[in-house]
Amino acid sequence: MIQEPQINPQLGPIIAKQLQMMIKQPIDGVHVIFNEQDVYDIQADIDGPVDTPFQGGVFRCKLILPPQFPQMAPKGLFNTKIFHPNVSEKGEICVNTLKKDWNPIQWSLKHIFEVIKCLLIVPFPESSLNEEAGKLFMENYDEYFKRAKLLTSIYALKQEANVLKGNNQIVFDEADKKNKVNQIQQKKENDQKKWLKRI
């Protein structure tokens, strides 16, 4: 059985140190999620910048390191659905810092997340991954803004959560979530019964 190449283990302490530094000295609007069990699980929540259609939303972003890292750039991915010219429907992020401008010597996780946050403020529709979003941005910005804001309201609005202070992980109360879903379902059924009685 052929083993897949692994990331250089010597990078682990470097990545952990950079993540811990970002927790101690955070970027405004970027909240690192530190996974003590796996330092290569690099994720952060990015607040939607003010005066953008993403304002009020929180977007979970993940960096995927290839085995050749840092000679090869990491891939950026939004786990939260977003309507943006430089983000594909699958969440893949297109930004020069992770493409042709990647520097394998002078790299930092802080800089990568700063660039991704800036991309939410200033998209580059010329190099769109989402052609529909790029076209709307160029030809009908108001319609683009409405569409992006709508998706933000559906997928990225802040939710109530319990925070485990020990490891900065956010855990949603699944029981409460299920109760709310059941309440909504029950209301629909009651409304339907009332409607059937009327006819």
Side-chain angles (χ1 to χ4, degrees):
M1 187 175 177
I2 300 172
Q3 283 190 330
E4 292 185 4
Q6 300 294 316
I7 298 170
N8 185 345
Q10 292 180 345
L11 288 169
I14 298 171
I15 290 169
K17 187 176 180 180
Q18 288 198 21
L19 289 172
Q20 287 167 347
M21 187 62 69
M22 285 180 66
I23 292 169
K24 290 177 183 176
Q25 300 174 358
I27 307 166
D28 185 35
V30 178
H31 313 282
V32 170
I33 300 162
F34 187 69
N35 185 342
E36 292 178 352
Q37 277 74 44
D38 183 4
V39 294
Y40 300 111
D41 178 23
I42 303 168
Q43 300 190 54
D45 284 338
I46 301 178
D47 296 337
V50 177
D51 296 330
T52 73
F54 314 112
Q55 181 175 346
V58 179
F59 300 86
R60 177 67 55 88
C61 181
K62 181 179 178 71
L63 297 182
I64 301 169
L65 307 184
Q68 299 86 351
F69 182 83
Q71 297 307 314
M72 184 181 288
K75 288 183 179 180
L77 190 75
F78 272 114
N79 289 339
T80 307
K81 194 169 180 62
I82 183 172
F83 188 69
H84 187 289
N86 306 112
V87 182
S88 75
E89 291 189 7
K90 293 180 180 178
E92 299 156 322
I93 301 168
C94 178
V95 63
N96 283 339
T97 300
L98 301 180
K99 301 281 186 182
K100 64 180 183 180
D101 293 342
W102 174 251
N103 188 328
I105 298 171
Q106 296 179 329
W107 62 273
S108 79
L109 300 178
K110 183 175 183 178
H111 178 64
I112 293 169
F113 281 117
E114 281 176 336
V115 169
I116 292 172
K117 183 193 171 188
C118 287
L119 195 66
L120 296 184
I121 302 170
V122 186
F124 293 94
E126 301 84 3
S127 56
S128 294
L129 277 182
N130 185 326
E131 291 184 9
E132 186 184 5
K135 189 176 180 183
L136 271 180
F137 185 92
M138 298 284 282
E139 297 177 2
N140 190 342
Y141 182 78
D142 288 344
E143 189 60 35
Y144 159 78
F145 193 97
K146 286 178 188 175
R147 184 85 170 271
K149 189 173 182 179
L150 176 64
L151 262 70
T152 297
S153 69
I154 294 171
Y155 297 104
L157 287 187
K158 293 178 183 177
Q159 300 181 45
E160 293 179 7
N162 296 324
V163 179
L164 298 180
K165 296 179 181 178
N167 60 2
N168 280 356
Q169 292 281 13
I170 296 176
V171 178
F172 294 100
D173 188 342
E174 290 297 328
D176 185 54
K177 200 172 180 181
K178 285 179 183 176
N179 285 336
K180 286 180 181 176
V181 170
N182 289 336
Q183 286 171 9
I184 292 168
Q185 188 64 34
Q186 189 65 47
K187 187 178 184 302
K188 282 183 180 178
E189 288 175 3
N190 291 339
D191 289 344
Q192 191 174 23
K193 285 177 184 176
K194 287 178 184 176
W195 184 78
L196 286 171
K197 282 181 181 178
R198 285 175 189 168
I199 59 172

